[in-house]
Amino acid sequence: MRESPPTLVAAVTAAVWLTPDGEVDSLAPAEAARRAGRQPPLLCHRRATATRLGVDPFPAFDLLELFAFVRPARFCAPTPRGLAQALDLGDPHSLEAQAVALGRVADRLLAELAAREGGNGAALSIAWTMAQAGWPWGPAVLQALGFGKAETAPRRAAGYQVWEGLSEWSEHAPEPPAGSEAVDPQEARRRLAELLGSDAEARPQQADYASAVATAFAPRDREADPHLVLAEAGTGVGKTLGYIAPASLWAEKNGGAVWLSTYTRNLQQQIDGELDRLFPLRAEKLRQVVVRKGRENYLCLLNYEEAVRGLAARPNSAVPLGLLARWAAATRDGDMVGGDLPGWLADLTGRGRTFGLADRRGECIYAACPHYRKCYIERSVRRARRARLVVANHALVMVQAALGGGEEGQLPQRYVFDEGHHLFEAADSAFAAHLSGQETTELRRWLLGAEASRRGGSSRQRGLQRRIEDLVAGHDRLENLLQRALRGARMLAAEGWHQRITDADSSEGPTERFLALVRQQVYARAPQRGEGYSLETEVRPAADGLVETALALEGALEKLEKPLVELRDGLGDRLDREADTLDSDTRRRIEATMRSLERRAVRPLRAWRQMLRVLEADSSPPEFIDWLAVERIDGRDVDVGFFRHWVDPTEPFAQAVLAQAQGAVVTSATLTDKSGDPEQDWRAAAQRSGSIHLPSPAIRAQVPSPYDYAAQTRIFVVTDVRKDDLDQVAAAVRELFLAAGGGALGLFTAISRLRAIHARIGRPLEQAGLELYAQHLDGLDVATLVEIFRAEPDSCLLGTDAVRDGVDVPGRALRLIVFDRVPWPRPDLRHKARRAAFGGKRYDDMITRLKLRQAYGRLVRRADDHGVFVLLDPMVPSRFASAFPEGVEFVRVGLAEALAETRSFLAVSQPRSR
């Protein structure tokens, strides 16, 4: 760098300022913010640093931006320590050491760029354009790339046109039907041994597991009656390779595909990594394996091109688009959510600007797009049609099943559902219907696009007419149906509905009038549970005017649904009538448009009309839960609507997915309940997985963990801390975190409690040299927070349910978990209905035990892991001791004793070295 800027590292309550001359100043956050406002500093993560200083983001030399430019599509923990570790520059602990390390990081990255890409025309063009837009790193990067002042300036934004360097995908003949040869359990054992290699440690539990799940790969004997295996495998069994062994064998023997489905993106990545054992050669793996997600996860090249072409009008977009251009040219598959786009990059480029480049609204124009033959999504779809192992997620599987095959054209016949304990939640989301302000506005936008009344509306918001006008042109009936549908769409809620529905007289159209009355009924009847909480109430008895308004809305929705159905069917008639003249691309566009009409419009409209019609009845259908709600964030209304969920969402899941398959495995470390009644525990697994709705009972398999939990863990219930006194809770969390020396995860049942604790413990932890991070407060997504937590073994993390489900941190980085209180189910109307259907108090206990088991299971991920689990709730019922492994004592102690035992246990099991 030509002139070294000062360096800034900010913690929760203090900061360090390193001058170019090497002087170190320890500052209060306010003073650090003042200095940063006067002179742009060198730092890591500008937005997070500004949040810690309590100010808006300020100009700075953000090393994460430089890292993203030099090492696109590569990861590092977005902290000074994470950057230093990624560049093999040690692990600086103190703020002073981190400040020094950041300067070395900058030098190392610029040297690497000069050595690897000096003279790279595309990189030079991007850097030049970013520099012209005021990117602080611009001059240093241009110098590293070998650009001198006397040289001719590169063509502006030429390097942004990454689509020009992408290869086209090619079509292949349809795959023949898969065979029906079964997988013998002994074959599965042998395949597992091959995957592990001859030097692997013997793991009999893993071989038993592979043998047991192999039975799911036999051909079924009766329609709608698949071979289903419910397989519980304790942590450490190695279930991923255990099911990959028979799944890969079946795929090889029968020339078919097995879909490996997960609930979290993190596990998708892990499975993809494990498959390197099966396919060590990259080219072979690309042919045999594909990671599949929904369209909304991938970069849309048309959206991206339109953003690039708008650079002249929006020059402030040059820096974020430049960083995305570097990523797009290096990415493996264009996956923006959980793929090789670092989670922190969206924080730098703007989450709306970044993820808005994906097709999040279903506005794809398919073969009419100039980038269709290079599209990341279409490439993924075609690879999935030929792959033998497809790594997907529960949501995609269920959406495709509901549409009868989705973009793959047909439903898979073999599944493995890992994280099977989450199938109930995934189905609950996939098969629900929400008649709300957000949903109706989204449908209006999908149909009408950017309306003329919206100034500056993005051209990327392509309405239905713009997307399909060439498909209906010259077909009078189809053109008329399209126009009728577009006229009908104007009765849906429009932008600004939030303000208008606060007064029923100001509402526009039947949708907004209905929403206004829904909001009125909710606010009149829902118990107020404190600022920020969402509100809900039962549908009946309906407030005055609600039923009449609902029936008027149902009639208006029918007038919208009818032309859309006829348009969908009319396009289908074109496929039949013009079968001999339609080219392949047009045929594919018509098929895709029909699927989009069904998924985005016809299905929700049909569901909404059914919901509205039953309002005048005495009750809703028994299989559904109906309620009215106002969704709020920080006391602000964000959505209002009429909501419908299945009482048992695994019923439609079983019908749409399981019954259509030949065989499936549902597996998890926490599949069954732990009530003490083994038969009842397996019935709970059958209920939560949907197998109870199939003709034949599932095959059960249970393989215990090889870990010695009694020796590796301790469980304490603290009896002298009042859970409703946040000062006491904060003191207990603080002292426990200090006793463990970090590596601590605090789990909270409410965001308000998390915030209160964070405010109380940040300073003392920082003074002890322990970094504290928090979900909802640090401005980072959960995946990024977990990445930081994993990379910094002495850090501490506060979070809620999403953190509990997303944490997979082996080793010293996680050695203490503190739960603020018993995680009872949220007592909302949905839970009330399910509690009545599934066993009352027994259902409450099952859900609570599952949460406790999931949290506790994070402590031990390897044979040498040790950890302490603490519940700060003296009212924990003794019956919940069964949630934990046999032999692990459920000890009730005072806080002082819990602290002493924690220190002693962790000191012996994991001596701390700094």
Side-chain angles (χ1 to χ4, degrees), residues 557-778:
L557 293 175
E558 181 183 19
K559 291 179 181 177
L560 173 57
E561 180 191 351
K562 187 175 180 181
L564 288 170
V565 170
E566 293 182 19
L567 178 60
R568 178 202 63 193
D569 295 343
L571 288 169
D573 290 342
R574 274 201 68 192
L575 291 176
D576 182 44
R577 290 195 315 270
E578 304 172 38
D580 59 335
T581 58
L582 286 176
D583 62 81
S584 297
D585 281 350
T586 303
R587 175 174 289 276
R588 278 193 292 267
R589 275 193 67 202
I590 291 175
E591 290 171 345
T593 300
M594 292 170 63
R595 287 195 302 269
S596 293
L597 285 167
E598 176 67 19
R599 178 186 175 186
R600 298 279 178 174
V602 174
R603 290 177 68 87
L605 286 168
R606 186 180 299 134
W608 295 345
R609 291 182 56 213
Q610 291 170 350
M611 293 161 64
L612 292 166
R613 284 197 298 268
V614 303
L615 275 180
E616 62 179 343
D618 294 334
S619 63
S620 298
E623 66 270 25
F624 294 121
I625 314 157
D626 291 345
W627 75 95
L628 309 178
V630 176
E631 301 290 342
R632 300 197 297 177
I633 296 177
D634 294 330
R636 177 176 57 87
D637 292 4
V638 294
D639 203 10
V640 177
F642 178 15
F643 299 86
R644 167 171 284 185
H645 284 239
W646 285 76
V647 173
D648 181 0
T650 68
E651 184 176 341
F653 165 69
Q655 294 168 354
V657 180
L658 296 179
Q660 308 304 316
Q662 292 283 326
V665 177
V666 177
T667 188
S668 169
T670 53
L671 198 60
T672 65
D673 191 13
K674 294 295 180 187
S675 67
D677 179 346
E679 185 56 36
Q680 179 59 43
D681 294 345
W682 274 110
R683 280 200 295 272
Q687 180 71 64
R688 300 282 291 178
S689 66
S691 73
I692 197 171
H693 302 295
L694 297 175
S696 300
I699 299 165
R700 301 172 179 178
Q702 196 165 38
V703 183
S705 170
Y707 297 150
D708 185 353
Y709 286 105
Q712 293 176 250
T713 66
R714 295 290 184 269
I715 299 175
F716 300 118
V717 177
V718 176
T719 58
D720 56 358
V721 172
R722 287 179 50 192
K723 63 183 178 182
D724 57 343
D725 185 330
L726 292 179
D727 286 331
Q728 289 191 30
V729 173
V733 172
R734 179 193 68 220
E735 293 304 315
L736 284 162
F737 282 15
L738 290 171
L745 173 64
L747 293 172
F748 294 85
T749 52
I751 296 172
S752 59
R753 289 173 66 87
L754 180 155
R755 290 181 176 180
I757 301 309
H758 181 272
R760 289 166 168 84
I761 70 174
R763 182 181 295 274
L765 290 183
E766 186 173 287
Q767 291 172 343
L770 302 182
E771 194 76 35
L772 178 65
Y773 300 98
Q775 183 190 8
H776 305 293
L777 299 180
D778 278 316

Side-chain angles (χ1 to χ4, degrees), residues 140-156:
V141 168
L142 287 172
Q143 185 179 33
L145 290 170
F147 179 74
K149 287 185 177 179
E151 294 183 44
T152 303
R155 188 161 60 91
R156 181 179 175 83

Side-chain angles (χ1 to χ4, degrees), residues 772-839:
L772 178 65
Y773 300 98
Q775 183 190 8
H776 305 293
L777 299 180
D778 278 316
L780 302 171
D781 68 333
V782 170
T784 300
L785 284 170
V786 172
E787 191 65 36
I788 295 171
F789 186 56
R790 182 184 294 113
E792 301 184 2
D794 297 330
S795 64
C796 302
L797 175 61
L798 307 180
T800 54
D801 278 0
V803 170
R804 184 195 70 228
D805 291 334
V807 169
D808 187 13
V809 180
R812 290 186 65 252
L814 178 56
R815 51 190 178 270
L816 171 69
I817 294 177
V818 180
F819 237 128
D820 71 324
R821 57 185 177 183
V822 176
W824 295 108
R826 182 183 173 189
D828 56 19
L829 293 173
R830 200 173 357 168
H831 178 71
K832 179 181 178 181
R834 288 171 180 160
R835 189 179 191 273
F838 298 142

Side-chain angles (χ1 to χ4, degrees), residues 472-488:
V472 300
H475 301 268
D476 292 346
R477 181 169 175 273
L478 296 182
E479 289 179 324
N480 289 334
L481 288 170
L482 175 60
Q483 293 307 314
R484 281 175 53 196
L486 298 181
R487 288 193 297 271

Side-chain angles (χ1 to χ4, degrees), residues 15-257:
V16 160
W17 184 275
L18 176 64
T19 70
D21 296 331
E23 294 183 12
V24 177
D25 295 331
S26 296
L27 307 175
E31 175 58 24
R34 278 193 291 273
R35 290 195 185 186
R38 293 194 298 265
Q39 183 178 11
L42 178 73
L43 50 71
C44 175
H45 208 305
R46 182 170 64 102
R47 291 179 181 274
T49 301
T51 298
R52 289 198 158 186
L53 297 180
V55 297
D56 292 332
F58 45 81
F61 292 85
D62 191 339
L63 276 163
L64 288 178
E65 293 181 357
L66 184 60
F67 185 94
F69 190 96
V70 177
R71 295 187 173 187
R74 292 173 66 180
F75 294 90
C76 72
T79 64
R81 291 176 67 182
L83 279 168
Q85 292 168 7
L87 278 89
D88 298 321
L89 294 173
D91 184 12
H93 284 268
S94 69
L95 296 184
E96 293 82 358
Q98 291 173 25
V100 172
L102 289 184
R104 297 172 63 201
V105 167
D107 293 341
R108 178 71 61 87
L109 285 172
L110 290 169
E112 182 179 315
L113 181 65
R116 194 178 66 241
E117 297 199 58
N120 181 326
L124 191 60
S125 169
I126 294 171
W128 169 261
T129 306
M130 293 170 71
Q132 293 299 107
W135 188 37
W137 287 110
V141 168
L142 287 172
Q143 185 179 33
L145 290 170
F147 179 74
K149 287 185 177 179
E151 294 183 44
T152 303
R155 188 161 60 91
R156 181 179 175 83
Y160 287 69
Q161 298 172 12
V162 294
W163 57 85
E164 293 182 351
L166 298 177
S167 62
E168 294 188 353
W169 48 260
S170 57
E171 288 286 7
H172 297 273
E175 293 289 302
S180 300
E181 191 174 346
V183 174
D184 182 80
Q186 291 305 314
E187 285 183 292
R189 288 177 180 268
R190 289 193 293 272
R191 169 53 61 88
L192 177 63
E194 293 170 6
L195 291 173
L196 293 171
S198 57
D199 296 333
E201 179 185 353
R203 301 171 77 178
Q205 296 97 333
Q206 189 178 32
D208 291 343
Y209 175 85
S211 175
V213 300
T215 57
F217 294 93
R220 67 184 183 186
D221 298 322
R222 290 178 297 278
E223 187 178 9
D225 192 10
H227 290 285
L228 180 64
V229 176
L230 301 182
E232 184 171 80
T235 302
V237 165
K239 63 178 172 11
T240 304
L241 284 178
Y243 59 66
I244 285 175
S248 60
L249 260 177
W250 184 89
E252 283 180 19
K253 294 169 69 172
N254 294 285

Side-chain angles (χ1 to χ4, degrees), residues 366-387:
Y366 299 95
C369 175
H371 305 300
Y372 180 67
R373 291 280 172 179
K374 297 183 176 183
C375 175
Y376 295 115
I377 307 160
E378 295 298 331
R379 188 186 308 275
S380 174
V381 169
R382 278 153 184 78
R383 284 184 58 211
R385 290 173 183 166
R386 306 179 68 218

